Amino acid sequence: MSEVLSSENIKKNSSVETVNKKRSQLAEVWRRLKKNNMAMAGLAILGVIILLAIFADVIAPYDSVAIKQNLKDRLQSPSGAHIFGTDEYGRDMFARLVHGARVSLQVGILAVGISIVIGGTLGAIAGYYGGKLDNVVMRIMDVFLAVPSILLAIAIVSALGPNLFNLMLAISISSVPGYARIVRASVISIRDQEFVEAAKAIGADDFRIIFKHIIPNSLAPVIVQGTLGVAGAILSTAGLSFIGLGIQPPAPEWGAMLSGGRQYLRYAPHVTTIPGIAIVITILALNLVGDGLRDALDPRLKS
């Protein structure tokens, strides 16, 4: 009886130690991230943009402000009534920016999430098993990498049609090879370490070893690349919408707003410059956070 109790106590203590270790690692990463002033500034800006996107319907009702046309107020300069002015159809620019932030963040986050799941799984399997399977998977990834990502996205959207789902699908597919290569490189460096050998020795199957032990220890470079990937996905979304293959009118999207206002650039520059500035600020914030996470998660910088 005492032996059973002692074994249960050992298990409880080991689980508590594991939880405390994970918490201490997260606390250490957060402590080091807080020391990076630029990363914290990017995080603050990103937090504001996310809050605006979440409460977009409260800040500016979609049907009555963001897409309702009012031609008598078209192309008004920024004023008290319209802080960012109005566009070529008299719609409030601030309302369209706020709702456009929701679209851009949604596409960016979901597209990168799909890319990480698919690419990470393929990269982990290829790196763990190696041999012919690794060669086949990575050669397929090389074929996708040989095609410029924006060109591949244009081809997919053109074939499937321009809408929100197809846009996310196109951007995610074009980003899969990059994540597959990153995860594969991490898995190759981890698969022969002692904790993996110990998991094999106690009879753990390959599925458990890959998804329970190897992938969690390969996430640091994926998190960093994913943060930067969201910025790239937002930029790709704006680019595709600019050429008419993204979100379709009258739905607000930053790239489509740029495209619609370019012919009024001379006498109503706010129609183009304001969504352009929004894209620049968002991409800059994401890049600052990504750089900060890279430094915080780099084990060589712990000292």
Side-chain angles (χ1 to χ4, degrees), residues 213-234:
H213 300 287
I214 292 181
I215 288 183
N217 287 281
S218 307
L219 287 180
V222 176
I223 291 172
V224 175
Q225 185 61 32
T227 306
L228 301 174
V230 172
I234 291 174

PDB file of all heavy atoms in Angstrom, residues 213-234:
ATOM      1  N   HIS A 213       5.915  14.729 -28.507  1.00  0.00           N
ATOM      2  CA  HIS A 213       7.267  15.050 -28.061  1.00  0.00           C
ATOM      3  C   HIS A 213       8.050  15.913 -29.051  1.00  0.00           C
ATOM      4  O   HIS A 213       8.726  16.862 -28.634  1.00  0.00           O
ATOM      5  CB  HIS A 213       8.045  13.746 -27.798  1.00  0.00           C
ATOM      6  CG  HIS A 213       7.418  12.877 -26.741  1.00  0.00           C
ATOM      7  ND1 HIS A 213       7.454  13.192 -25.404  1.00  0.00           N
ATOM      8  CD2 HIS A 213       6.729  11.710 -26.837  1.00  0.00           C
ATOM      9  CE1 HIS A 213       6.823  12.260 -24.710  1.00  0.00           C
ATOM     10  NE2 HIS A 213       6.364  11.350 -25.559  1.00  0.00           N
ATOM     11  N   ILE A 214       7.980  15.581 -30.337  1.00  0.00           N
ATOM     12  CA  ILE A 214       8.842  16.268 -31.297  1.00  0.00           C
ATOM     13  C   ILE A 214       8.272  17.627 -31.712  1.00  0.00           C
ATOM     14  O   ILE A 214       8.960  18.645 -31.634  1.00  0.00           O
ATOM     15  CB  ILE A 214       9.080  15.374 -32.535  1.00  0.00           C
ATOM     16  CG1 ILE A 214       9.930  14.153 -32.143  1.00  0.00           C
ATOM     17  CG2 ILE A 214       9.773  16.158 -33.630  1.00  0.00           C
ATOM     18  CD1 ILE A 214      10.237  13.227 -33.282  1.00  0.00           C
ATOM     19  N   ILE A 215       7.005  17.651 -32.154  1.00  0.00           N
ATOM     20  CA  ILE A 215       6.429  18.913 -32.637  1.00  0.00           C
ATOM     21  C   ILE A 215       6.403  20.002 -31.562  1.00  0.00           C
ATOM     22  O   ILE A 215       6.772  21.155 -31.845  1.00  0.00           O
ATOM     23  CB  ILE A 215       5.028  18.668 -33.229  1.00  0.00           C
ATOM     24  CG1 ILE A 215       5.152  17.931 -34.570  1.00  0.00           C
ATOM     25  CG2 ILE A 215       4.275  19.981 -33.420  1.00  0.00           C
ATOM     26  CD1 ILE A 215       3.846  17.691 -35.281  1.00  0.00           C
ATOM     27  N   PRO A 216       5.979  19.695 -30.300  1.00  0.00           N
ATOM     28  CA  PRO A 216       6.028  20.765 -29.283  1.00  0.00           C
ATOM     29  C   PRO A 216       7.416  21.354 -29.077  1.00  0.00           C
ATOM     30  O   PRO A 216       7.537  22.542 -28.730  1.00  0.00           O
ATOM     31  CB  PRO A 216       5.530  20.059 -28.014  1.00  0.00           C
ATOM     32  CG  PRO A 216       4.670  18.955 -28.506  1.00  0.00           C
ATOM     33  CD  PRO A 216       5.328  18.484 -29.762  1.00  0.00           C
ATOM     34  N   ASN A 217       8.464  20.565 -29.284  1.00  0.00           N
ATOM     35  CA  ASN A 217       9.823  21.072 -29.127  1.00  0.00           C
ATOM     36  C   ASN A 217      10.354  21.728 -30.402  1.00  0.00           C
ATOM     37  O   ASN A 217      11.502  22.186 -30.422  1.00  0.00           O
ATOM     38  CB  ASN A 217      10.757  19.934 -28.709  1.00  0.00           C
ATOM     39  CG  ASN A 217      10.547  19.507 -27.277  1.00  0.00           C
ATOM     40  OD1 ASN A 217      11.015  20.139 -26.340  1.00  0.00           O
ATOM     41  ND2 ASN A 217       9.788  18.432 -27.090  1.00  0.00           N
ATOM     42  N   SER A 218       9.523  21.763 -31.444  1.00  0.00           N
ATOM     43  CA  SER A 218       9.932  22.394 -32.702  1.00  0.00           C
ATOM     44  C   SER A 218       9.153  23.676 -32.978  1.00  0.00           C
ATOM     45  O   SER A 218       9.253  24.234 -34.065  1.00  0.00           O
ATOM     46  CB  SER A 218       9.701  21.421 -33.872  1.00  0.00           C
ATOM     47  OG  SER A 218      10.320  20.181 -33.643  1.00  0.00           O
ATOM     48  N   LEU A 219       8.390  24.147 -31.990  1.00  0.00           N
ATOM     49  CA  LEU A 219       7.457  25.235 -32.242  1.00  0.00           C
ATOM     50  C   LEU A 219       8.090  26.617 -32.234  1.00  0.00           C
ATOM     51  O   LEU A 219       7.521  27.547 -32.799  1.00  0.00           O
ATOM     52  CB  LEU A 219       6.323  25.205 -31.205  1.00  0.00           C
ATOM     53  CG  LEU A 219       5.290  24.092 -31.375  1.00  0.00           C
ATOM     54  CD1 LEU A 219       4.241  24.195 -30.293  1.00  0.00           C
ATOM     55  CD2 LEU A 219       4.648  24.166 -32.752  1.00  0.00           C
ATOM     56  N   ALA A 220       9.238  26.777 -31.585  1.00  0.00           N
ATOM     57  CA  ALA A 220       9.819  28.123 -31.457  1.00  0.00           C
ATOM     58  C   ALA A 220      10.034  28.797 -32.812  1.00  0.00           C
ATOM     59  O   ALA A 220       9.552  29.921 -33.031  1.00  0.00           O
ATOM     60  CB  ALA A 220      11.110  28.058 -30.660  1.00  0.00           C
ATOM     61  N   PRO A 221      10.741  28.162 -33.760  1.00  0.00           N
ATOM     62  CA  PRO A 221      10.897  28.835 -35.067  1.00  0.00           C
ATOM     63  C   PRO A 221       9.590  28.960 -35.826  1.00  0.00           C
ATOM     64  O   PRO A 221       9.411  29.911 -36.608  1.00  0.00           O
ATOM     65  CB  PRO A 221      11.890  27.931 -35.814  1.00  0.00           C
ATOM     66  CG  PRO A 221      11.776  26.603 -35.170  1.00  0.00           C
ATOM     67  CD  PRO A 221      11.469  26.884 -33.733  1.00  0.00           C
ATOM     68  N   VAL A 222       8.645  28.042 -35.592  1.00  0.00           N
ATOM     69  CA  VAL A 222       7.350  28.118 -36.280  1.00  0.00           C
ATOM     70  C   VAL A 222       6.546  29.311 -35.778  1.00  0.00           C
ATOM     71  O   VAL A 222       5.877  30.000 -36.562  1.00  0.00           O
ATOM     72  CB  VAL A 222       6.565  26.809 -36.088  1.00  0.00           C
ATOM     73  CG1 VAL A 222       5.178  26.912 -36.712  1.00  0.00           C
ATOM     74  CG2 VAL A 222       7.315  25.641 -36.694  1.00  0.00           C
ATOM     75  N   ILE A 223       6.607  29.570 -34.460  1.00  0.00           N
ATOM     76  CA  ILE A 223       5.881  30.712 -33.893  1.00  0.00           C
ATOM     77  C   ILE A 223       6.400  32.018 -34.478  1.00  0.00           C
ATOM     78  O   ILE A 223       5.625  32.901 -34.866  1.00  0.00           O
ATOM     79  CB  ILE A 223       6.016  30.706 -32.356  1.00  0.00           C
ATOM     80  CG1 ILE A 223       5.250  29.524 -31.765  1.00  0.00           C
ATOM     81  CG2 ILE A 223       5.504  32.014 -31.765  1.00  0.00           C
ATOM     82  CD1 ILE A 223       5.478  29.327 -30.286  1.00  0.00           C
ATOM     83  N   VAL A 224       7.717  32.125 -34.552  1.00  0.00           N
ATOM     84  CA  VAL A 224       8.318  33.338 -35.105  1.00  0.00           C
ATOM     85  C   VAL A 224       7.931  33.507 -36.568  1.00  0.00           C
ATOM     86  O   VAL A 224       7.482  34.583 -37.000  1.00  0.00           O
ATOM     87  CB  VAL A 224       9.851  33.301 -34.949  1.00  0.00           C
ATOM     88  CG1 VAL A 224      10.484  34.506 -35.628  1.00  0.00           C
ATOM     89  CG2 VAL A 224      10.241  33.251 -33.487  1.00  0.00           C
ATOM     90  N   GLN A 225       8.085  32.435 -37.346  1.00  0.00           N
ATOM     91  CA  GLN A 225       7.753  32.508 -38.765  1.00  0.00           C
ATOM     92  C   GLN A 225       6.256  32.742 -38.973  1.00  0.00           C
ATOM     93  O   GLN A 225       5.857  33.424 -39.920  1.00  0.00           O
ATOM     94  CB  GLN A 225       8.192  31.221 -39.469  1.00  0.00           C
ATOM     95  CG  GLN A 225       8.002  31.222 -40.977  1.00  0.00           C
ATOM     96  CD  GLN A 225       8.802  32.309 -41.661  1.00  0.00           C
ATOM     97  OE1 GLN A 225       9.879  32.673 -41.200  1.00  0.00           O
ATOM     98  NE2 GLN A 225       8.280  32.833 -42.760  1.00  0.00           N
ATOM     99  N   GLY A 226       5.433  32.182 -38.090  1.00  0.00           N
ATOM    100  CA  GLY A 226       3.998  32.386 -38.199  1.00  0.00           C
ATOM    101  C   GLY A 226       3.606  33.840 -37.976  1.00  0.00           C
ATOM    102  O   GLY A 226       2.735  34.374 -38.668  1.00  0.00           O
ATOM    103  N   THR A 227       4.259  34.489 -37.012  1.00  0.00           N
ATOM    104  CA  THR A 227       3.986  35.909 -36.769  1.00  0.00           C
ATOM    105  C   THR A 227       4.336  36.745 -37.992  1.00  0.00           C
ATOM    106  O   THR A 227       3.566  37.616 -38.420  1.00  0.00           O
ATOM    107  CB  THR A 227       4.796  36.399 -35.552  1.00  0.00           C
ATOM    108  OG1 THR A 227       4.534  35.556 -34.438  1.00  0.00           O
ATOM    109  CG2 THR A 227       4.411  37.827 -35.197  1.00  0.00           C
ATOM    110  N   LEU A 228       5.504  36.465 -38.555  1.00  0.00           N
ATOM    111  CA  LEU A 228       5.890  37.176 -39.778  1.00  0.00           C
ATOM    112  C   LEU A 228       5.015  36.762 -40.954  1.00  0.00           C
ATOM    113  O   LEU A 228       4.756  37.563 -41.864  1.00  0.00           O
ATOM    114  CB  LEU A 228       7.364  36.897 -40.089  1.00  0.00           C
ATOM    115  CG  LEU A 228       8.370  37.310 -38.999  1.00  0.00           C
ATOM    116  CD1 LEU A 228       9.779  36.854 -39.366  1.00  0.00           C
ATOM    117  CD2 LEU A 228       8.335  38.815 -38.787  1.00  0.00           C
ATOM    118  N   GLY A 229       4.549  35.503 -40.932  1.00  0.00           N
ATOM    119  CA  GLY A 229       3.697  35.014 -42.013  1.00  0.00           C
ATOM    120  C   GLY A 229       2.343  35.698 -42.050  1.00  0.00           C
ATOM    121  O   GLY A 229       1.759  35.885 -43.123  1.00  0.00           O
ATOM    122  N   VAL A 230       1.808  36.070 -40.872  1.00  0.00           N
ATOM    123  CA  VAL A 230       0.543  36.803 -40.839  1.00  0.00           C
ATOM    124  C   VAL A 230       0.698  38.138 -41.567  1.00  0.00           C
ATOM    125  O   VAL A 230      -0.188  38.559 -42.326  1.00  0.00           O
ATOM    126  CB  VAL A 230       0.079  37.027 -39.384  1.00  0.00           C
ATOM    127  CG1 VAL A 230      -1.141  37.953 -39.341  1.00  0.00           C
ATOM    128  CG2 VAL A 230      -0.257  35.701 -38.730  1.00  0.00           C
ATOM    129  N   ALA A 231       1.842  38.801 -41.342  1.00  0.00           N
ATOM    130  CA  ALA A 231       2.109  40.055 -42.047  1.00  0.00           C
ATOM    131  C   ALA A 231       2.157  39.831 -43.557  1.00  0.00           C
ATOM    132  O   ALA A 231       1.572  40.601 -44.338  1.00  0.00           O
ATOM    133  CB  ALA A 231       3.439  40.655 -41.564  1.00  0.00           C
ATOM    134  N   GLY A 232       2.839  38.769 -43.980  1.00  0.00           N
ATOM    135  CA  GLY A 232       2.892  38.455 -45.405  1.00  0.00           C
ATOM    136  C   GLY A 232       1.537  38.114 -45.981  1.00  0.00           C
ATOM    137  O   GLY A 232       1.214  38.495 -47.119  1.00  0.00           O
ATOM    138  N   ALA A 233       0.711  37.403 -45.198  1.00  0.00           N
ATOM    139  CA  ALA A 233      -0.625  37.045 -45.675  1.00  0.00           C
ATOM    140  C   ALA A 233      -1.512  38.275 -45.825  1.00  0.00           C
ATOM    141  O   ALA A 233      -2.293  38.384 -46.777  1.00  0.00           O
ATOM    142  CB  ALA A 233      -1.266  36.047 -44.709  1.00  0.00           C
ATOM    143  N   ILE A 234      -1.409  39.220 -44.888  1.00  0.00           N
ATOM    144  CA  ILE A 234      -2.184  40.459 -45.002  1.00  0.00           C
ATOM    145  C   ILE A 234      -1.752  41.239 -46.241  1.00  0.00           C
ATOM    146  O   ILE A 234      -2.585  41.793 -46.978  1.00  0.00           O
ATOM    147  CB  ILE A 234      -2.013  41.307 -43.723  1.00  0.00           C
ATOM    148  CG1 ILE A 234      -2.707  40.623 -42.544  1.00  0.00           C
ATOM    149  CG2 ILE A 234      -2.569  42.710 -43.922  1.00  0.00           C
ATOM    150  CD1 ILE A 234      -2.474  41.297 -41.215  1.00  0.00           C
TER     151      ILE A 234
END
